[in-house]
Amino acid sequence: MPRFLPLAPRLAAYLFALAVAAFFFLNPAAFQKLAAINLLQFNLQGVRYAFIMSLFAYALPGAIITGYFGWHLFHSPTRFRAPAALLALAGIILLQLGTISTAPEFPGRTLYVMLLTWTFPTLHGVAWLWLAFTDHLGIRRFANAALGLYLLYQVPGSFLFGADEVQANIPIALCFGWYFSCHVLFQFASPNAT
């Protein structure tokens, strides 16, 4: 495993957190929009400093996450490949959110952004449940299962059961918070781990 690789998910989480902090510092009016849109939708047309979110909260972390889990997709034992593929796909979704055009508005853009932002935590939820059923360490197994069920209840569950709004801010924050510790799990996944 390359030496810098375990730092990649933490770097993605730090970039996301710093970009969000800088964005809200420079644009305090955006706090009012958090009730209507989630943390992955601030690249909308007309939002001041949207480039900070697009580049530093979505595109760069998305590229890092895609690279990290893409590496594990091809270099990990079979039981870790499915969650690595799901999480690499989540990274591609984040990268897409960072590169989607903010102007001019194209037909269906808002729906597309909403679907991407709901799919991001949903993929994490499915990956965490998969890890819960394949991980052999007890406490981490239960933590992954609890987090996965929470994400699936919160995001697609809310949507499917007719909630007026799908509040994905906490699930999105959990996804990025998990990146601080996921290198430990995937360190054991690597056949070359020392």
Side-chain angles (χ1 to χ4, degrees), residues 11-193:
L11 177 61
Y14 281 126
L15 275 171
F16 181 80
L18 290 173
V20 168
F23 174 74
F24 284 116
F25 177 77
L26 293 171
N27 189 8
F31 276 115
Q32 298 169 352
K33 295 184 181 194
L34 271 176
I37 61 176
N38 66 48
L39 289 171
L40 296 182
Q41 296 173 340
F42 277 102
N43 59 347
L44 299 173
Q45 185 176 6
V47 176
R48 290 179 40 211
Y49 302 107
F51 75 93
I52 293 173
M53 295 300 280
S54 292
L55 181 60
F56 298 108
Y58 308 151
L60 289 177
I64 293 168
I65 292 165
T66 302
Y68 177 79
F69 290 110
W71 187 90
H72 280 291
L73 178 62
F74 296 105
H75 295 92
S76 292
T78 305
R79 68 187 175 106
F80 286 99
R81 290 189 181 158
L86 291 169
L87 295 168
L89 182 58
I92 292 170
I93 286 172
L94 197 59
L95 184 60
Q96 174 64 38
L97 285 168
T99 57
I100 195 168
S101 174
T102 58
E105 183 77 20
F106 59 83
R109 179 184 181 278
T110 302
L111 178 62
Y112 182 63
V113 168
M114 288 173 62
L115 289 174
L116 289 178
T117 61
W118 295 339
T119 305
F120 179 80
T122 301
L123 288 171
H124 282 79
V126 173
W128 293 347
L129 283 177
W130 188 287
L131 289 169
F133 289 112
T134 58
D135 193 5
H136 300 299
L137 298 176
I139 187 115
R140 201 165 54 213
R141 169 181 276 183
F142 292 117
N144 282 333
L147 287 170
L149 288 172
Y150 173 76
L151 290 184
L152 293 178
Y153 166 76
Q154 217 32 42
V155 181
S158 296
F159 179 72
L160 292 174
F161 296 118
D164 292 335
E165 294 180 16
V166 176
Q167 289 297 331
N169 287 326
I170 293 173
I172 290 166
L174 283 174
C175 294
F176 280 97
W178 183 78
Y179 292 147
F180 285 107
S181 65
C182 74
H183 69 284
V184 174
L185 174 66
F186 280 89
Q187 173 185 352
F188 295 115
S190 174
N192 302 341

